[in-house]
Short mmCIF file of all heavy atoms in Angstrom, two decimals:
data_model
loop_
_atom_site.label_atom_id
_atom_site.label_comp_id
_atom_site.label_asym_id
_atom_site.label_seq_id
_atom_site.Cartn_x
_atom_site.Cartn_y
_atom_site.Cartn_z
N ALA A 107 76.10 134.08 98.62
CA ALA A 107 75.86 133.24 99.81
C ALA A 107 76.68 133.73 100.99
O ALA A 107 76.18 133.84 102.13
CB ALA A 107 76.19 131.79 99.50
N LEU A 108 77.95 134.03 100.77
CA LEU A 108 78.81 134.47 101.86
C LEU A 108 78.40 135.86 102.36
O LEU A 108 78.46 136.15 103.57
CB LEU A 108 80.28 134.48 101.42
CG LEU A 108 80.86 133.10 101.07
CD1 LEU A 108 82.31 133.22 100.65
CD2 LEU A 108 80.72 132.12 102.23
N GLN A 109 77.95 136.73 101.45
CA GLN A 109 77.45 138.05 101.87
C GLN A 109 76.22 137.89 102.78
O GLN A 109 76.10 138.57 103.81
CB GLN A 109 77.09 138.89 100.64
CG GLN A 109 78.27 139.35 99.83
CD GLN A 109 77.87 140.01 98.51
OE1 GLN A 109 76.69 140.01 98.14
NE2 GLN A 109 78.83 140.54 97.78
N LEU A 110 75.32 136.99 102.39
CA LEU A 110 74.12 136.77 103.20
C LEU A 110 74.45 136.15 104.55
O LEU A 110 73.79 136.43 105.55
CB LEU A 110 73.13 135.90 102.44
CG LEU A 110 72.46 136.53 101.21
CD1 LEU A 110 71.54 135.52 100.53
CD2 LEU A 110 71.68 137.78 101.60
N GLN A 111 75.49 135.30 104.59
CA GLN A 111 75.89 134.71 105.87
C GLN A 111 76.39 135.77 106.82
O GLN A 111 76.08 135.75 108.02
CB GLN A 111 76.95 133.63 105.65
CG GLN A 111 77.29 132.84 106.90
CD GLN A 111 76.10 132.09 107.46
OE1 GLN A 111 75.53 131.22 106.81
NE2 GLN A 111 75.69 132.44 108.68
N HIS A 112 77.15 136.72 106.31
CA HIS A 112 77.59 137.84 107.15
C HIS A 112 76.39 138.62 107.69
O HIS A 112 76.34 139.01 108.87
CB HIS A 112 78.50 138.78 106.35
CG HIS A 112 79.90 138.27 106.16
ND1 HIS A 112 80.78 138.11 107.21
CD2 HIS A 112 80.57 137.91 105.04
CE1 HIS A 112 81.95 137.65 106.76
NE2 HIS A 112 81.84 137.53 105.44
N MET A 113 75.40 138.86 106.81
CA MET A 113 74.21 139.61 107.24
C MET A 113 73.41 138.81 108.25
O MET A 113 72.90 139.37 109.24
CB MET A 113 73.35 139.94 106.01
CG MET A 113 72.11 140.77 106.33
SD MET A 113 72.47 142.36 107.16
CE MET A 113 73.34 143.22 105.84
N GLN A 114 73.29 137.50 108.07
CA GLN A 114 72.59 136.65 109.04
C GLN A 114 73.25 136.75 110.41
O GLN A 114 72.58 136.87 111.44
CB GLN A 114 72.58 135.20 108.57
CG GLN A 114 71.93 134.24 109.55
CD GLN A 114 72.09 132.79 109.13
OE1 GLN A 114 71.96 132.45 107.97
NE2 GLN A 114 72.38 131.91 110.09
N ASP A 115 74.58 136.70 110.43
CA ASP A 115 75.30 136.83 111.70
C ASP A 115 74.99 138.15 112.38
O ASP A 115 74.78 138.22 113.60
CB ASP A 115 76.81 136.73 111.46
CG ASP A 115 77.25 135.36 110.96
OD1 ASP A 115 76.43 134.42 111.02
OD2 ASP A 115 78.40 135.23 110.51
N LYS A 116 74.95 139.20 111.59
CA LYS A 116 74.74 140.55 112.13
C LYS A 116 73.33 140.70 112.71
O LYS A 116 73.15 141.31 113.78
CB LYS A 116 74.96 141.58 111.02
CG LYS A 116 74.69 143.02 111.41
CD LYS A 116 74.92 143.95 110.22
CE LYS A 116 74.57 145.39 110.58
NZ LYS A 116 74.75 146.29 109.40
N LEU A 117 72.33 140.12 112.05
CA LEU A 117 70.94 140.35 112.43
C LEU A 117 70.43 139.40 113.51
O LEU A 117 69.57 139.78 114.31
CB LEU A 117 70.03 140.24 111.20
CG LEU A 117 70.23 141.27 110.09
CD1 LEU A 117 69.35 140.93 108.90
CD2 LEU A 117 69.92 142.67 110.60
N PHE A 118 70.92 138.16 113.53
CA PHE A 118 70.24 137.13 114.33
C PHE A 118 71.12 136.43 115.37
O PHE A 118 70.59 135.72 116.22
CB PHE A 118 69.65 136.05 113.40
CG PHE A 118 68.70 136.60 112.37
CD1 PHE A 118 69.10 136.76 111.05
CD2 PHE A 118 67.41 136.97 112.71
CE1 PHE A 118 68.24 137.26 110.09
CE2 PHE A 118 66.52 137.47 111.76
CZ PHE A 118 66.94 137.61 110.45
N TRP A 119 72.42 136.58 115.34
CA TRP A 119 73.29 135.81 116.24
C TRP A 119 73.12 136.26 117.69
O TRP A 119 73.04 137.46 117.97
CB TRP A 119 74.75 135.94 115.81
CG TRP A 119 75.71 135.18 116.70
CD1 TRP A 119 76.60 135.70 117.59
CD2 TRP A 119 75.86 133.76 116.78
NE1 TRP A 119 77.29 134.71 118.21
CE2 TRP A 119 76.87 133.50 117.75
CE3 TRP A 119 75.25 132.69 116.13
CZ2 TRP A 119 77.27 132.20 118.07
CZ3 TRP A 119 75.65 131.39 116.45
CH2 TRP A 119 76.65 131.16 117.41
N ASP A 120 73.07 135.30 118.59
CA ASP A 120 73.00 135.57 120.03
C ASP A 120 74.39 135.37 120.63
O ASP A 120 74.81 134.23 120.85
CB ASP A 120 71.99 134.62 120.68
CG ASP A 120 71.91 134.81 122.20
OD1 ASP A 120 72.54 135.76 122.72
OD2 ASP A 120 71.20 134.01 122.86
N PRO A 121 75.12 136.43 120.92
CA PRO A 121 76.49 136.27 121.43
C PRO A 121 76.55 135.77 122.87
O PRO A 121 77.61 135.33 123.31
CB PRO A 121 77.06 137.70 121.32
CG PRO A 121 75.86 138.59 121.41
CD PRO A 121 74.73 137.84 120.77
N LYS A 122 75.42 135.81 123.58
CA LYS A 122 75.42 135.36 124.97
C LYS A 122 75.00 133.89 125.09
O LYS A 122 75.68 133.09 125.72
CB LYS A 122 74.50 136.25 125.81
CG LYS A 122 74.96 137.70 125.90
CD LYS A 122 74.01 138.53 126.75
CE LYS A 122 74.48 139.99 126.83
NZ LYS A 122 73.53 140.82 127.63
N GLY A 123 73.87 133.55 124.50
CA GLY A 123 73.38 132.18 124.59
C GLY A 123 73.75 131.33 123.40
O GLY A 123 73.45 130.15 123.35
N PHE A 124 74.40 131.95 122.41
CA PHE A 124 74.81 131.29 121.17
C PHE A 124 73.60 130.85 120.34
O PHE A 124 72.46 130.99 120.78
CB PHE A 124 75.76 130.12 121.43
CG PHE A 124 76.97 130.51 122.23
CD1 PHE A 124 77.37 129.79 123.34
CD2 PHE A 124 77.71 131.62 121.88
CE1 PHE A 124 78.49 130.15 124.07
CE2 PHE A 124 78.84 132.00 122.61
CZ PHE A 124 79.22 131.27 123.71
N ALA A 125 73.84 130.40 119.15
CA ALA A 125 72.80 130.05 118.17
C ALA A 125 72.13 131.34 117.66
O ALA A 125 72.49 132.45 118.05
CB ALA A 125 71.79 129.07 118.73
N TYR A 126 71.16 131.16 116.77
CA TYR A 126 70.51 132.30 116.10
C TYR A 126 69.06 132.42 116.56
O TYR A 126 68.34 131.43 116.68
CB TYR A 126 70.52 132.10 114.58
CG TYR A 126 71.89 132.17 113.95
CD1 TYR A 126 72.63 131.00 113.77
CD2 TYR A 126 72.44 133.37 113.52
CE1 TYR A 126 73.89 131.04 113.19
CE2 TYR A 126 73.69 133.42 112.93
CZ TYR A 126 74.42 132.26 112.77
OH TYR A 126 75.66 132.29 112.20
N PHE A 127 68.63 133.67 116.80
CA PHE A 127 67.23 133.95 117.05
C PHE A 127 66.45 133.85 115.74
O PHE A 127 66.99 134.12 114.66
CB PHE A 127 67.04 135.35 117.63
CG PHE A 127 67.53 135.51 119.04
CD1 PHE A 127 68.63 136.31 119.33
CD2 PHE A 127 66.87 134.87 120.09
CE1 PHE A 127 69.07 136.47 120.64
CE2 PHE A 127 67.32 135.02 121.40
CZ PHE A 127 68.42 135.82 121.68
N SER A 128 65.17 133.53 115.82
CA SER A 128 64.35 133.40 114.62
C SER A 128 64.01 134.75 114.01
O SER A 128 63.74 134.84 112.81
CB SER A 128 63.05 132.65 114.93
OG SER A 128 63.33 131.33 115.34
N SER A 129 64.02 135.79 114.81
CA SER A 129 63.70 137.13 114.32
C SER A 129 64.77 138.10 114.81
O SER A 129 65.49 137.83 115.77
CB SER A 129 62.32 137.57 114.82
OG SER A 129 62.26 137.49 116.23
N GLU A 130 64.85 139.25 114.15
CA GLU A 130 65.90 140.21 114.51
C GLU A 130 65.48 141.08 115.69
O GLU A 130 64.30 141.14 116.05
CB GLU A 130 66.26 141.08 113.31
CG GLU A 130 65.14 141.94 112.78
CD GLU A 130 65.58 142.77 111.58
OE1 GLU A 130 66.17 143.84 111.80
OE2 GLU A 130 65.33 142.35 110.45
N ALA A 131 66.42 141.75 116.27
CA ALA A 131 66.15 142.64 117.39
C ALA A 131 65.42 143.89 116.91
O ALA A 131 65.49 144.26 115.74
CB ALA A 131 67.45 143.01 118.09
N GLY A 132 64.71 144.53 117.84
CA GLY A 132 64.10 145.81 117.51
C GLY A 132 62.68 145.74 117.00
O GLY A 132 62.09 146.76 116.65
N ASP A 133 62.09 144.52 116.93
CA ASP A 133 60.69 144.40 116.50
C ASP A 133 59.79 144.66 117.71
O ASP A 133 59.74 143.84 118.63
CB ASP A 133 60.43 143.00 115.93
CG ASP A 133 59.05 142.87 115.32
OD1 ASP A 133 58.17 143.69 115.66
OD2 ASP A 133 58.84 141.96 114.49
N PRO A 134 59.05 145.78 117.73
CA PRO A 134 58.25 146.12 118.91
C PRO A 134 57.07 145.17 119.14
O PRO A 134 56.48 145.14 120.22
CB PRO A 134 57.75 147.54 118.61
CG PRO A 134 57.78 147.63 117.11
CD PRO A 134 58.95 146.79 116.67
N SER A 135 56.71 144.37 118.12
CA SER A 135 55.57 143.46 118.26
C SER A 135 55.94 142.16 118.97
O SER A 135 55.07 141.37 119.30
CB SER A 135 54.98 143.13 116.88
OG SER A 135 55.91 142.40 116.09
N LEU A 136 57.24 141.93 119.21
CA LEU A 136 57.69 140.68 119.82
C LEU A 136 58.06 140.90 121.28
O LEU A 136 58.85 141.78 121.62
CB LEU A 136 58.91 140.13 119.07
CG LEU A 136 58.68 139.70 117.61
CD1 LEU A 136 59.99 139.24 117.00
CD2 LEU A 136 57.65 138.58 117.54
N LEU A 137 57.47 140.07 122.15
CA LEU A 137 57.83 140.11 123.57
C LEU A 137 59.12 139.33 123.82
O LEU A 137 59.90 139.69 124.70
CB LEU A 137 56.70 139.54 124.42
CG LEU A 137 55.37 140.29 124.37
CD1 LEU A 137 54.31 139.57 125.20
CD2 LEU A 137 55.55 141.73 124.86
N LEU A 138 59.30 138.24 123.08
CA LEU A 138 60.47 137.39 123.25
C LEU A 138 61.06 137.05 121.89
O LEU A 138 60.34 136.88 120.92
CB LEU A 138 60.09 136.08 123.98
CG LEU A 138 59.65 136.17 125.44
CD1 LEU A 138 59.14 134.81 125.90
CD2 LEU A 138 60.80 136.63 126.32
N ARG A 139 62.37 136.94 121.85
CA ARG A 139 63.04 136.42 120.65
C ARG A 139 63.32 134.94 120.90
O ARG A 139 64.00 134.59 121.86
CB ARG A 139 64.33 137.18 120.37
CG ARG A 139 64.14 138.65 120.06
CD ARG A 139 65.47 139.34 119.86
NE ARG A 139 66.07 138.99 118.57
CZ ARG A 139 67.35 139.22 118.27
NH1 ARG A 139 68.17 139.73 119.18
NH2 ARG A 139 67.82 138.90 117.07
N LEU A 140 62.78 134.10 120.04
CA LEU A 140 62.83 132.65 120.27
C LEU A 140 63.82 131.97 119.34
O LEU A 140 64.24 132.53 118.31
CB LEU A 140 61.44 132.06 120.07
CG LEU A 140 60.32 132.63 120.95
CD1 LEU A 140 58.99 132.01 120.58
CD2 LEU A 140 60.63 132.41 122.42
N LYS A 141 64.17 130.73 119.70
CA LYS A 141 64.99 129.86 118.86
C LYS A 141 64.25 128.53 118.74
O LYS A 141 64.07 127.83 119.74
CB LYS A 141 66.37 129.62 119.49
CG LYS A 141 67.17 130.89 119.72
CD LYS A 141 68.41 130.61 120.57
CE LYS A 141 69.13 131.90 120.95
NZ LYS A 141 70.21 131.66 121.93
N ASP A 142 63.81 128.20 117.55
CA ASP A 142 63.09 126.94 117.35
C ASP A 142 64.01 125.77 117.66
O ASP A 142 65.20 125.78 117.32
CB ASP A 142 62.58 126.82 115.91
CG ASP A 142 61.47 127.83 115.63
OD1 ASP A 142 60.82 128.25 116.59
OD2 ASP A 142 61.27 128.18 114.44
N ASP A 143 63.44 124.72 118.28
CA ASP A 143 64.27 123.59 118.68
C ASP A 143 63.66 122.26 118.24
O ASP A 143 63.86 121.24 118.89
CB ASP A 143 64.51 123.59 120.20
CG ASP A 143 63.21 123.44 120.99
OD1 ASP A 143 62.12 123.47 120.37
OD2 ASP A 143 63.29 123.29 122.22
N GLN A 144 62.92 122.29 117.12
CA GLN A 144 62.33 121.04 116.63
C GLN A 144 62.23 121.07 115.11
O GLN A 144 61.68 122.01 114.53
CB GLN A 144 60.95 120.82 117.23
CG GLN A 144 60.29 119.53 116.78
CD GLN A 144 59.07 119.18 117.61
OE1 GLN A 144 58.98 119.55 118.77
NE2 GLN A 144 58.14 118.46 117.01
N ASP A 145 62.79 120.05 114.46
CA ASP A 145 62.65 119.91 113.02
C ASP A 145 61.27 119.36 112.72
O ASP A 145 60.90 118.28 113.21
CB ASP A 145 63.70 118.94 112.46
CG ASP A 145 65.12 119.49 112.58
OD1 ASP A 145 65.26 120.73 112.61
OD2 ASP A 145 66.07 118.69 112.65
N GLY A 146 60.49 120.10 111.94
CA GLY A 146 59.15 119.66 111.58
C GLY A 146 59.08 119.36 110.10
O GLY A 146 59.94 118.69 109.53
N ALA A 147 57.99 119.84 109.45
CA ALA A 147 57.86 119.66 108.00
C ALA A 147 59.05 120.31 107.29
O ALA A 147 59.52 119.83 106.26
CB ALA A 147 56.55 120.27 107.52
N GLU A 148 59.53 121.40 107.86
CA GLU A 148 60.79 122.01 107.41
C GLU A 148 61.80 121.84 108.55
O GLU A 148 61.43 121.95 109.71
CB GLU A 148 60.61 123.51 107.14
CG GLU A 148 59.54 123.86 106.16
CD GLU A 148 59.23 125.35 106.19
OE1 GLU A 148 60.07 126.13 106.68
OE2 GLU A 148 58.13 125.73 105.75
N PRO A 149 63.06 121.59 108.25
CA PRO A 149 64.05 121.56 109.32
C PRO A 149 64.18 122.94 109.94
O PRO A 149 64.01 123.95 109.26
CB PRO A 149 65.34 121.14 108.61
CG PRO A 149 65.13 121.51 107.18
CD PRO A 149 63.66 121.36 106.92
N THR A 150 64.45 122.98 111.22
CA THR A 150 64.58 124.27 111.87
C THR A 150 65.85 124.99 111.39
O THR A 150 66.83 124.37 110.99
CB THR A 150 64.59 124.10 113.40
OG1 THR A 150 64.52 125.39 114.01
CG2 THR A 150 65.86 123.43 113.89
N ALA A 151 65.81 126.31 111.43
CA ALA A 151 66.87 127.11 110.82
C ALA A 151 68.23 126.85 111.46
O ALA A 151 69.25 126.78 110.76
CB ALA A 151 66.51 128.59 110.92
N ASN A 152 68.30 126.71 112.78
CA ASN A 152 69.59 126.47 113.42
C ASN A 152 70.17 125.12 113.02
O ASN A 152 71.39 124.95 112.96
CB ASN A 152 69.46 126.57 114.95
CG ASN A 152 69.64 127.99 115.45
OD1 ASN A 152 70.72 128.56 115.37
ND2 ASN A 152 68.55 128.58 115.94
N SER A 153 69.31 124.13 112.74
CA SER A 153 69.80 122.83 112.29
C SER A 153 70.52 122.96 110.96
O SER A 153 71.62 122.43 110.76
CB SER A 153 68.64 121.83 112.17
OG SER A 153 68.08 121.53 113.41
#
Side-chain angles (χ1 to χ4, degrees):
L108 296 180
Q109 290 172 354
L110 290 178
Q111 187 61 62
H112 283 294
M113 182 57 66
Q114 177 187 319
D115 294 348
K116 177 181 176 182
L117 296 174
F118 304 103
W119 179 251
D120 177 7
K122 296 180 180 179
F124 305 130
Y126 293 92
F127 290 113
S128 296
S129 56
E130 62 180 277
D133 186 340
S135 65
L136 295 177
L137 297 177
L138 293 172
R139 296 178 74 195
L140 303 176
K141 301 170 187 172
D142 291 336
D143 63 353
Q144 181 167 332
D145 293 333
E148 304 167 20
T150 189
N152 273 293
S153 293

